[in-house]
Amino acid sequence: MLQRRGNFFTSRIVVPRELQGLLGSVEITRSLRTTDLREANRKNLLWEPHIGTLLSRLRKHGSSMKQGELEELTQRYARDQIAGPSAAGLRSWSYGSCQNSTPLTPSQKDRLKGA
């Protein structure tokens, strides 16, 4: 869920009840570091599935993980950048088995900036 806090947008994800004990939290919030609604929506569209993957992993393996493993996993997901596949980062962006290793042309980069 996208929220405005002050001038900036924040993503707020409610942790499912069955995982709240593992995470020690009822929600995950993260600043999207932007005041622009369109940019916030783009970042949120990347961040929410990213955390959804974390929650799926915790559903599958969380009960068999040690506390240190849980902390390392959640910290790794929290550290990941949410800027998403910026024009500079698209060369190495991968999602699932799809990978774009072709560098963007200047006109493609301009279209991404204007999107």
Side-chain angles (χ1 to χ4, degrees):
M1 175 185 338
L2 196 61
Q3 294 181 326
R4 185 182 283 271
R5 293 213 175 149
N7 292 330
F8 289 89
F9 286 96
T10 300
S11 176
R12 178 179 174 263
I13 300 169
V14 176
V15 175
R17 191 174 301 258
E18 70 271 14
L19 298 176
Q20 290 176 3
L22 285 173
L23 286 176
S25 180
V26 296
E27 65 181 23
I28 298 170
T29 58
R30 176 116 185 220
S31 172
L32 298 173
R33 299 180 185 152
T34 185
T35 59
D36 181 70
L37 178 60
R38 290 179 67 187
E39 184 180 353
N41 279 318
R42 280 194 302 267
K43 287 182 174 186
N44 203 40
L45 286 172
L46 295 168
W47 178 245
E48 286 187 352
H50 177 71
I51 294 303
T53 301
L54 168 65
L55 298 176
S56 293
R57 290 184 75 180
L58 289 174
R59 276 190 192 98
K60 281 185 173 180
H61 308 290
S63 61
S64 63
M65 295 175 83
K66 296 177 183 171
Q67 187 62 34
E69 294 171 324
L70 284 169
E71 289 173 9
E72 193 277 327
L73 179 66
T74 56
Q75 287 174 5
R76 187 173 66 223
Y77 271 82
R79 277 191 310 264
D80 285 347
Q81 294 298 314
I82 59 170
S86 64
L90 269 176
R91 288 185 294 274
S92 61
W93 175 258
S94 65
Y95 186 77
S97 61
C98 300
Q99 189 166 7
N100 180 358
S101 59
T102 306
L104 292 174
T105 65
S107 64
Q108 289 171 321
K109 289 179 185 179
D110 289 341
R111 278 187 291 200
L112 282 172
K113 287 179 188 174

